[in-house]
Amino acid sequence: MVVVDSSLIKNVLTHVWENNPEICRHWFNEIELVDVDAGTIRLLVREPVQLKFLQRSCTEHFTEAIQSTTGKLLGVEFVGNIEQVEPGPVVRGSDSGSGSANEDMILSPDYTFDSFVVGPDNRLAHAAAMAVAKSPARAYNPFFVHGGVGLGKTHLLQAICQSAMQINPDMRIFYTSCNSFMNQFHEAVQDGEMNSFRNRFRNYDLLVIDDIHGLSNRGPSQEEFFHTFNTLYQAGRQIVISSDAPPGEIPDLEERLTSRFSCGLVANIERPCYETRVAIVRSKAKMRSLDLPEDVAGYIAARFDTNIREIEGAITKIQTMAMLDNQTINLTLAKQAVGNHIRGDATTKMTIQNILDTVSGYYGLKLTELLSKRRHKSVALPRQIGMYLARKHTRFSLGEIGGYFGGRDHTTVMHAVKTINGKRTDDTRLDQDIFHIESVLLTDE
Ligand code: ADP
Ligand code: MG
């Protein structure tokens, strides 16, 4: 017999916190125990997005925790309301019935406006996103947000959905990535189900498409999206789009789409400054109910300055290390967990592939763009930096380096090396950027 009281859930949560800190969130404390029935413990989570998160990502960990704290072979089920657990046939919500969030839409409970840190680098995008969530199709339509990898585009888009859903639960909202939109489109074509595809996509009140640059070079998908866009727009529905580049700079995108994307508000998210990053570290720690000393937060913010996603990884590493060694978190431990380890034989290990990857990652470019013939400054400068670094840190000849960088000749490489050498002395920002890339290249992860 399993004793069902408040200590059960407490013990289970403690076990999960200790063994899988990376999945734990402060709101886990609000999970309620419903009952134990037919070998299954039922836990109540009222917030739909949180419920999905638990069902998708945490079932295994909770089962493990329940079994080791009770010593019984029990399962777990997360439910959204008490009615759901009452006996009787299980009725799954279909799209037509309740108007709200679509069944297969997956949102992260972490990505809300509450947890989004506002700084000078994302202020406009954030303000516009809030306005869009509050007054869909009346504030900015379409709302187009662009910025480099890991700078918060997905976070902001999902926050719009969650906030709009709270304000108006009946709204038909759909968030999807551009790739998933294209896959669904291709499946519909293959299965001869274009009508239902169109009915679905052209009936949302708020359609959010993440990473629209995926449309680049995809003729039929561009055509389909164009019509989806027009139908929604003309019907006064809200469209929100993100991309790694502003509308005019997405390669191989039809002009008619570029102009549609630009006709509402286009907002940019820049790389966050140090203060913003410290605040983000704090927000992430708070989400996990983790106490991070001031200097540790500062250290993480200084160490990871381009892709915010790495900040989360760093916090997990530090948290795990502290737990395993049963230590409190301090600067020494943080440095051990995520610090720099300069390789002894760095020059021999530095490869052109590494350089290409690191430079394109740093500037949020695709490798193909870096190697392309494009001469736009946003691509040409990173390309020159790459050549400069290859010349400085490898033993390849100018001609060989040119070969790796999209088949350019040795004079181009020579020119790049000279240009960057000159710029490093005049342009401190650029000098710091290069210094940063070099330290990444020289660091053993
Ligand atoms: P993108 O879609 O632009 O590549 P994401 O939205 O996936 O980036 O963000 C990467 C990570 O950084 C996420 O964990 C996100 O929560 C976090 N992040 C980025 N910007 C912020 C911010 N301003 N405040 C809080 N977290 C942020
Ligand atoms: Mg994203």
Side-chain angles (χ1 to χ4, degrees):
M1 184 62 204
V2 181
V3 183
V4 182
D5 60 14
S6 60
S7 73
L8 175 76
I9 180 83
K10 227 174 109 196
N11 294 340
V12 169
L13 284 176
T14 308
H15 187 95
V16 179
W17 276 102
E18 279 173 2
N19 292 279
N20 308 95
E22 74 286 353
I23 63 159
C24 293
R25 300 293 181 263
H26 65 89
W27 49 263
F28 277 18
N29 292 326
E30 288 155 28
I31 297 176
E32 290 169 46
L33 179 68
V34 183
D35 60 4
V36 183
D37 183 60
T40 300
I41 292 195
R42 296 198 260 208
L43 301 176
L44 177 66
V45 189
R46 293 176 206 275
E47 196 55 55
V49 177
Q50 296 175 349
L51 176 66
K52 271 198 181 171
F53 171 80
L54 287 167
Q55 289 169 334
R56 261 167 46 81
S57 316
C58 309
T59 304
E60 230 173 89
H61 304 303
F62 271 76
T63 309
E64 202 264 315
I66 287 170
Q67 296 182 354
S68 59
T69 47
T70 62
K72 307 261 187 244
L73 212 56
L74 290 167
V76 66
E77 186 185 0
F78 298 104
V79 296
N81 53 54
I82 309 276
E83 289 86 73
Q84 208 177 325
V85 303
E86 256 151 36
V90 181
V91 184
R92 282 177 63 92
S94 75
D95 283 359
S96 49
S98 72
S100 64
N102 194 294
E103 277 283 300
D104 51 4
M105 174 170 72
I106 293 157
L107 298 173
S108 165
D110 296 349
Y111 295 169
T112 60
F113 282 130
D114 277 349
S115 64
F116 192 84
V117 173
V118 184
D121 3 78
N122 58 28
R123 194 177 302 285
L124 174 66
H126 172 263
M130 296 267 282
V132 165
K134 220 172 131 199
S135 339
R138 290 204 307 270
Y140 308 104
N141 203 16
F143 173 43
F144 187 104
V145 54
H146 66 94
V149 177
L151 297 189
K153 301 184 295 297
T154 297
H155 187 141
L156 211 48
L157 261 50
Q158 296 200 3
I160 294 177
C161 295
Q162 307 203 42
S163 164
M165 224 148 72
Q166 261 166 9
I167 297 172
N168 181 358
D170 290 330
M171 222 178 154
R172 287 160 303 182
I173 299 175
F174 195 58
Y175 164 93
T176 185
S177 71
C178 179
N179 281 338
S180 159
F181 172 84
M182 293 193 294
N183 287 340
Q184 292 176 58
F185 167 55
H186 290 135
E187 271 170 30
V189 171
Q190 269 165 14
D191 303 346
E193 292 190 342
M194 273 311 290
N195 273 343
S196 87
F197 174 86
R198 287 190 175 136
N199 269 337
R200 201 152 69 77
F201 271 97
R202 298 180 188 184
N203 263 317
Y204 293 117
D205 300 310
L206 166 59
L207 179 63
V208 180
I209 307 267
D210 207 349
D211 293 328
I212 198 76
H213 50 267
L215 279 181
S216 166
N217 220 347
R218 307 284 293 267
S221 296
Q222 288 189 22
E223 167 92 24
E224 183 60 30
F225 188 69
F226 177 74
H227 294 297
T228 306
F229 184 102
N230 282 343
T231 309
L232 289 172
Y233 187 79
Q234 277 154 17
R237 315 284 175 73
Q238 176 73 48
I239 302 152
V240 177
I241 296 168
S242 83
S243 162
D244 67 356
E249 288 178 30
I250 303 173
D252 297 308
L253 187 71
E254 291 174 21
E255 159 64 27
R256 56 182 182 165
L257 278 174
T258 310
S259 66
R260 292 287 186 296
F261 292 172
S262 316
C263 73
L265 181 79
V266 176
N268 184 13
I269 302 189
E270 310 254 4
R271 263 169 57 197
C273 63
Y274 177 75
E275 284 73 23
T276 309
R277 296 198 308 274
V278 174
I280 292 175
V281 173
R282 291 225 182 82
S283 157
K284 296 282 173 206
K286 188 172 153 222
M287 208 164 70
R288 298 165 176 220
S289 305
L290 188 68
D291 254 337
L292 279 188
E294 202 81 353
D295 55 349
V296 173
Y299 175 74
I300 300 173
R303 170 93 171 75
F304 301 97
D305 65 353
T306 31
N307 182 342
I308 301 302
R309 211 162 290 154
E310 294 174 350
I311 286 184
E312 292 213 86
I315 294 178
T316 302
K317 266 194 195 168
I318 293 170
Q319 192 179 12
T320 311
M321 193 178 217
M323 235 150 204
L324 288 177
D325 300 353
N326 207 6
Q327 287 186 49
T328 47
I329 295 175
N330 58 30
L331 191 58
T332 318
L333 180 124
K335 283 185 177 168
Q336 266 172 7
V338 299
N340 282 340
H341 308 286
I342 302 291
R343 291 181 187 145
D345 54 350
T347 42
T348 52
K349 274 200 187 158
M350 178 108 56
T351 65
I352 294 205
Q353 195 55 50
N354 268 340
I355 293 173
L356 290 169
D357 290 343
T358 310
V359 171
S360 44
Y362 186 83
Y363 286 101
L365 294 170
K366 288 195 218 65
L367 192 55
T368 49
E369 290 176 290
L370 200 67
L371 306 184
S372 71
K373 302 283 172 224
R374 280 187 70 207
R375 294 203 184 159
H376 191 274
K377 191 168 161 259
S378 62
V379 189
L381 183 68
R383 188 186 293 133
Q384 288 188 320
I385 291 172
M387 294 183 190
Y388 160 88
L389 290 170
R391 184 63 179 161
K392 185 171 164 195
H393 294 287
T394 73
R395 299 202 179 88
F396 289 104
S397 70
L398 293 169
E400 284 167 329
I401 293 171
Y404 279 104
F405 280 80
R408 295 179 153 79
D409 74 19
H410 75 280
T411 52
T412 310
V413 181
M414 206 155 68
H415 176 69
V417 175
K418 218 173 120 200
T419 308
I420 300 300
N421 262 324
K423 284 197 171 151
R424 273 198 97 156
T425 35
D426 304 337
D427 183 342
T428 31
R429 170 80 198 263
L430 182 84
D431 184 53
Q432 277 175 6
D433 283 347
I434 298 178
F435 179 76
H436 179 86
I437 297 170
E438 284 181 315
S439 56
V440 172
L441 283 165
L442 293 167
T443 299
D444 217 355
E445 274 300 320

